[in-house]
Amino acid sequence: MKNFYAKKILEFIPKEYQLIIGEIVLVGIFFLIASPSMLFFHSAMGIISLLIAYNIFFLGSNYLRLSSQPFIFSISILSIVYVLIDFIRVFLLWRNPFLLRNIIDLTIQLWLVSRFAECAVFLIGFLAWFKRYRFLYLGLIYLGSVVFLFCTTFLWNVFPRSYQPGLGLTNFTLLSEYFISAFIYIALSIILFRKKKIPIPVLRPLIISLILSIGAEVIFTMLRNQYGFMIEWRVMVKFLSLLFIYQAVVQAIQNKNGKARLSSHWWSHFKQSTQSQRETDDHGLDQVSFSPDHFNLPDHIQSLVDNAQDLLFRFQAIEPIKLEYINPAVEKIIGFSPSEFYANPTLFIQRVYPEDRPLLDLYLKNPSALDKPLAIRMVRKDSTIIWMEHKYVPVYNRRKKIIAVEGIARDITERKKAEEQIRYISFNDPLTGLYNRAFFEEEISRQNFPENHPIGIILGDVNEIHLVNERFSHQEGDRILIDTANILKRFSRNQDILARWDEDEFILFTPQVDNEYLQTTVESIQKELLNIETNPMQVSIAFGYALKENQDQSIGEVIEKAEGWMYWKKLTRSSELGQDLVTAIEKSLLKITQETEKHSDRLQKITQKIGQELGFSQEKLHHLNLLARLHDLGKIATPKSILNKSGLLSPKEWDMVKRHPKIGYQIALSSSELTPIAESILYHHERWDGTGYPQGLKGNAIPLLSRIIAIADTYDVMVSGRAYKKPIAKKEALNEIKKGAGYQFDPHLVEVFLRVMN
């Protein structure tokens, strides 16, 4: 029956208070037994208080997790100072003969110094909490101030008198006690005001401790003689206050550390701290006192660990690196049970994929890398390979040396497969399986190192593929592109990079080659293409190639040069049938760009009149005529959908249109007949004020023929109209040209143009 009521009573007492309430009961019993002997009572209380304060200090200095709670951390580190002064006060009660002054006055002075020091602890705690100053500086100032006050009482005898025999406490002492009580009350108010910042298990003993401290000061003010019941009660209440401070520190550590109980560590901490320094060498500090058998956690935490789907583990960081703990999820993920890992502590490392072991070893030995996740492969018991992502947290000893690594790992095999699929889609052409343009441009920038030079670029454009799509079907056109890609694969080496460059274009990056190799490769591919028997019509490829001789040469310029040769080959296919070269090119260009022969004829007439007005020679008039016919030569590389678009162009489409002067320039350089007009083709979209493209030339820096064709072409487009622009009257067009003088056009040539047109 008695046990039943005892259990019922314990149910109403919070678990964290059951131990301390038991301690209070024991202290009460001790008070009743020891109070008749004041000297024995004070001495015993002083020694026990000092031991508790030492334990608080030890916990605060070793559990660095408390540093995230600056207020509790400050109390745990500094409380031992004022408790030590209290112990000295008790020591004086033995009436040591070397003291030649009033013992009672001195003990009360030391009581006040101790209480001032206690208030300073709370002040420093608040300053550290509010991040006003660094704790180290505050602690040094605190120690200096306490030592100074102690010297004023114990050594220098300048501290104000605190007790007069027969009269009791002096006014100074009473005022000091009122001030101390008020300060502790303010501290209590601040804590209550910011209570949401402190965990409840820590807050409750802290509040009780402050209330008891105020009670101790109130009891002290009732002192009238040097002996009496009030003195014992004052010491008793102060001791209980310290006991609750200890409980608050313990709860703060439990809240961070997750352990069920720390009171059992009290004596072991005390023993460890009193051992000889000679026994605590570097080897001892490196030992990891950890094993699966002693991995005790609260039931709810242990349940979380056991049921976790991810791996939870701990490594010994010192050589040899070995596994110390792993949770049951390892059997499902890797196939081995925890007991198998414990039987062979290096098994975990052995199951890491051989190529990834150096990476893991380097990772574990580099503390700065531990805050980043690591993805490595592991070999399961059934020999299948899985990807796992590891995240680690280092564990340090008191000398800030890593002694263990704790971590979590999860199976990311499916994620890796998805990433590979996304990467394949991002960097590969879905039709042919070749790399796409984005990957090619990214990769060639990485391949630009001296050992790869000379680097060859081969560009190929499938001729007439649009006719296959129109006459037979897009499926047939796709099949031809796939067959072409397969042939190109046969002629590309392992170190080459083959990609689909555009809708009907392919590009090959070939390091460490010469022009002879490029020419031979192109000829071999052309012969192989003739063997495709299933084509509904004979489809050929126009090839162009160029060589990058050294690292300083721009890869972009080399691609443009190869592109120019490719389009030259595409345009000159008709000349192989016996037609005049320029006529053949012009016909191919008119077919691709949808320009009319009438537009070309009008431009030739206008430009010839301007040239004659300027007194050009026959050779220069011939060049001007060629420019009128072929100035848009580069538009062969611009998709028809863009050239014939009726609405506004997007920024990307506009960038493609602006490429045509450069492409036309490269094509013109491929023919001795067109070389004289190559620069005029390149700059025919420059403006007089320097806002044109591609190079932003200004004024007379623009070639004369380019300035002439710019005026004539703009005028004819305005009066004849385009898909994106309606035609306007000739008079209105002439006014627009006049307005552009000095901005878009050469003002002198505008005058000549207007004179000729009138």
Side-chain angles (χ1 to χ4, degrees):
M1 194 67 177
K2 291 180 180 179
N3 291 336
F4 173 77
Y5 286 115
K7 289 182 180 179
K8 284 293 183 181
I9 293 171
L10 287 175
E11 288 178 1
F12 289 101
I13 303 175
K15 288 184 178 180
E16 62 267 27
Y17 290 134
Q18 290 177 7
L19 177 64
I20 200 166
I21 289 175
E23 292 170 345
I24 291 172
V25 172
L26 290 176
V27 170
I29 296 172
F30 173 77
F31 173 74
L32 294 176
I33 296 172
S35 57
S37 174
M38 185 192 75
L39 192 58
F40 173 71
F41 175 78
H42 281 269
S43 300
M45 282 294 180
I47 293 171
I48 296 172
S49 296
L50 190 61
L51 290 175
I52 292 175
Y54 172 78
N55 194 41
I56 294 173
F57 173 78
F58 190 88
L59 293 176
S61 59
N62 281 274
Y63 284 87
L64 296 181
R65 293 180 179 88
L66 275 181
S67 59
S68 62
Q69 297 181 2
F71 185 72
I72 302 297
F73 180 70
S74 302
I75 293 175
S76 64
I77 296 297
L78 301 178
S79 291
I80 194 170
V81 176
Y82 70 79
V83 175
L84 182 61
I85 296 174
D86 265 335
F87 180 76
I88 295 173
R89 177 184 60 79
V90 172
F91 176 74
L92 294 179
L93 293 176
W94 291 85
R95 301 178 181 273
N96 289 279
F98 64 87
L99 294 171
L100 303 176
R101 49 183 296 207
N102 188 337
I103 296 297
I104 300 300
D105 183 36
L106 180 57
T107 57
I108 293 177
Q109 288 178 350
L110 290 176
W111 170 272
L112 291 178
V113 171
S114 177
R115 300 289 73 76
F116 284 133
E118 183 180 4
C119 291
V121 168
F122 291 119
L123 178 61
I124 290 173
F126 286 130
L127 291 175
W129 194 4
F130 302 147
K131 299 180 181 180
R132 297 296 181 185
Y133 304 96
R134 292 185 61 182
F135 174 76
L136 178 62
Y137 300 147
L138 293 172
L140 292 175
I141 294 171
Y142 171 78
L143 288 176
S145 303
V146 172
V147 169
F148 173 78
L149 285 176
F150 178 78
C151 290
T152 60
T153 61
F154 198 78
L155 298 179
W156 303 332
N157 196 20
V158 295
F159 196 85
R161 194 172 180 85
S162 300
Y163 179 82
Q164 291 181 351
L167 297 176
L169 302 178
T170 63
N171 291 332
F172 169 77
T173 305
L174 292 173
L175 289 174
S176 298
E177 287 296 328
Y178 296 147
F179 170 78
I180 292 167
S181 300
F183 184 89
I184 297 174
Y185 177 78
I186 293 172
L188 177 61
S189 301
I190 294 173
I191 290 173
L192 289 173
F193 182 73
R194 295 177 64 89
K195 61 184 178 182
K196 291 183 179 179
K197 302 288 184 179
I198 305 175
I200 294 298
V202 181
L203 181 66
R204 286 184 294 201
L206 196 59
I207 292 173
I208 295 172
S209 174
L210 292 175
I211 293 173
L212 289 173
S213 292
I214 295 173
E217 304 309 319
V218 172
I219 293 172
F220 183 67
T221 58
M222 301 177 184
L223 183 65
R224 286 293 177 267
N225 51 53
Q226 56 185 333
Y227 303 105
F229 185 72
M230 288 299 177
I231 294 178
E232 282 76 8
W233 266 111
R234 174 196 68 183
V235 175
M236 179 74 176
V237 173
K238 199 64 205 171
F239 173 77
L240 293 176
S241 172
L242 182 64
L243 206 56
F244 277 97
I245 287 287
Y246 168 72
Q247 181 68 10
V249 173
V250 169
Q251 288 297 329
I253 295 172
Q254 289 179 6
N255 188 63
K256 284 287 179 181
N257 204 44
K259 292 185 177 181
R261 179 174 296 182
L262 286 174
S263 56
S264 61
H265 292 226
W266 194 93
W267 177 246
S268 60
H269 288 331
F270 181 75
K271 280 183 65 179
Q272 291 173 9
S273 64
T274 55
Q275 286 179 349
S276 171
Q277 182 62 35
R278 289 173 296 180
E279 298 177 5
T280 312
D281 56 5
D282 289 342
H283 179 73
L285 286 172
D286 288 342
Q287 297 305 308
V288 185
S289 56
F290 187 96
S291 68
D293 294 335
H294 295 93
F295 191 65
N296 297 321
L297 290 172
D299 292 343
H300 62 287
I301 301 296
Q302 188 67 55
S303 176
L304 286 174
V305 172
D306 291 342
N307 296 323
Q309 299 301 304
D310 297 334
L311 287 189
L312 302 174
F313 53 85
R314 176 181 168 115
F315 283 107
Q316 176 181 291
I318 57 177
E319 295 293 345
I321 296 176
K322 64 180 182 179
L323 185 72
E324 292 185 328
Y325 173 78
I326 197 161
N327 68 330
V330 69
E331 188 165 7
K332 179 181 178 182
I333 297 175
I334 301 181
F336 292 90
S337 65
S339 58
E340 290 178 280
F341 280 99
Y342 297 142
N344 182 4
T346 61
L347 179 60
F348 190 89
I349 303 297
Q350 293 172 14
R351 304 314 296 180
V352 176
Y353 193 71
E355 293 180 8
D356 293 346
R357 285 176 197 167
L359 177 63
L360 177 62
D361 186 57
L362 181 66
Y363 193 82
L364 292 175
K365 292 178 179 178
N366 184 10
S368 61
L370 291 178
D371 59 341
K372 301 174 183 176
L374 172 69
I376 57 174
R377 289 163 291 181
M378 299 196 73
V379 183
R380 287 174 45 86
K381 195 172 185 177
D382 60 5
S383 299
T384 57
I385 298 173
I386 60 172
W387 277 95
M388 298 201 72
E389 184 179 69
H390 294 236
K391 293 182 180 179
Y392 300 103
V393 176
V395 179
Y396 297 90
N397 63 10
R398 282 178 289 166
R399 293 192 179 177
K400 307 300 182 186
K401 184 176 180 180
I402 296 179
I403 57 173
V405 174
E406 297 173 350
I408 183 171
R410 64 179 46 179
D411 187 347
I412 58 167
T413 306
E414 293 303 319
R415 192 182 85 187
K416 276 289 182 180
K417 290 179 180 177
E419 288 174 355
E420 286 298 320
Q421 185 67 21
I422 293 171
R423 178 179 173 80
Y424 183 85
I425 294 171
S426 300
F427 290 136
N428 290 78
D429 173 50
L431 177 65
T432 62
L434 302 179
Y435 291 121
N436 59 19
R437 184 168 184 160
F439 175 84
F440 185 86
E441 290 177 340
E442 182 180 322
E443 188 62 25
I444 60 174
S445 64
R446 289 198 292 263
Q447 297 289 336
N448 187 33
F449 43 83
E451 293 78 3
N452 268 352
H453 289 79
I455 295 173
I457 295 291
I458 299 176
L459 260 171
D461 184 297
V462 181
N463 294 314
E464 312 296 347
I465 194 67
H466 64 283
L467 292 179
V468 176
N469 290 333
E470 291 172 3
R471 296 179 185 178
F472 300 98
S473 71
H474 282 277
Q475 287 80 4
E476 191 62 35
D478 290 345
R479 190 190 58 76
I480 291 173
L481 291 174
I482 293 171
D483 289 344
T484 303
N486 290 332
I487 290 173
L488 293 174
K489 286 178 187 177
R490 292 180 215 158
F491 290 91
S492 62
R493 305 167 300 172
N494 291 335
Q495 64 267 39
D496 296 345
I497 303 172
L498 177 63
R500 188 176 180 186
W501 185 246
D502 210 337
E503 183 180 356
D504 53 1
E505 295 177 12
F506 299 90
I507 190 167
L508 182 64
F509 174 93
T510 58
Q512 300 175 342
V513 296
D514 54 20
N515 274 312
E516 185 179 353
Y517 174 84
L518 296 177
Q519 183 177 353
T520 303
T521 301
V522 168
E523 290 173 356
S524 300
I525 294 172
Q526 292 282 27
K527 289 179 183 178
E528 188 68 24
L529 287 170
L530 297 175
N531 296 328
I532 302 179
E533 299 177 355
T534 54
N535 279 350
M537 58 181 292
Q538 187 61 53
V539 178
S540 63
I541 298 181
F543 281 105
Y545 59 85
L547 197 66
K548 185 176 185 291
E549 300 284 354
N550 53 63
Q551 194 175 12
D552 296 331
Q553 194 175 357
S554 169
I555 189 69
E557 292 177 0
V558 177
I559 292 175
E560 285 181 0
K561 187 176 180 181
E563 198 171 35
W565 279 108
M566 181 188 71
Y567 286 122
W568 171 254
K569 292 289 185 182
K570 194 175 185 71
L571 288 170
T572 56
R573 286 182 72 228
S574 299
S575 68
E576 295 173 1
L577 303 176
Q579 296 182 10
D580 171 65
L581 176 64
V582 175
T583 303
I585 293 174
E586 186 178 19
K587 286 185 177 181
S588 297
L589 185 62
L590 292 175
K591 187 187 298 183
I592 293 169
T593 61
Q594 300 297 309
E595 293 285 3
T596 62
E597 290 187 27
K598 291 182 180 180
H599 171 67
S600 177
D601 292 341
R602 288 194 298 268
L603 282 185
Q604 292 176 59
K605 290 177 183 178
I606 294 172
T607 54
Q608 288 298 304
K609 287 181 180 179
I610 295 174
Q612 291 168 1
E613 183 72 16
L614 294 173
F616 281 2
S617 64
Q618 285 300 314
E619 182 183 17
K620 209 163 188 179
L621 286 172
H622 173 65
H623 292 161
L624 189 57
N625 185 63
L626 281 178
L627 184 63
R629 298 166 68 183
L630 302 176
H631 63 281
D632 279 334
L633 183 60
K635 284 186 177 179
I636 188 175
T638 306
K640 289 182 181 180
S641 59
I642 296 177
L643 294 175
N644 299 325
K645 188 174 181 179
S646 58
L648 293 175
L649 298 180
S650 68
K652 185 178 180 180
E653 291 171 334
W654 179 236
D655 286 339
M656 294 185 70
V657 169
K658 288 165 69 174
R659 289 177 62 234
H660 82 271
K662 283 187 176 181
I663 295 173
Y665 170 74
Q666 292 292 342
I667 295 172
L669 288 178
S670 304
S671 167
S672 57
E673 191 172 345
L674 300 182
T675 299
I677 64 169
E679 280 202 354
S680 298
I681 291 174
L682 178 62
Y683 299 123
H684 76 278
H685 276 291
E686 301 287 359
R687 294 170 60 103
W688 183 259
D689 60 3
T691 59
Y693 64 89
Q695 294 186 9
L697 297 185
K698 185 177 182 180
N700 291 321
I702 305 170
L704 179 59
L705 298 189
S706 299
R707 286 179 268 157
I708 293 173
I709 200 68
I711 296 173
D713 190 36
T714 302
Y715 171 77
D716 192 68
V717 167
M718 285 192 288
V719 297
S720 59
R722 286 295 181 271
Y724 55 87
K725 191 174 185 179
K726 292 181 180 180
I728 61 176
K730 292 182 179 180
K731 186 176 181 180
E732 188 179 351
L734 292 173
N735 285 333
E736 291 296 323
I737 296 293
K738 190 174 182 180
K739 289 178 184 177
Y743 298 98
Q744 184 175 355
F745 310 116
D746 180 343
H748 172 64
L749 289 180
V750 169
E751 291 178 4
V752 174
F753 172 76
L754 294 175
R755 191 164 57 246
V756 166
M757 295 305 293
N758 288 330

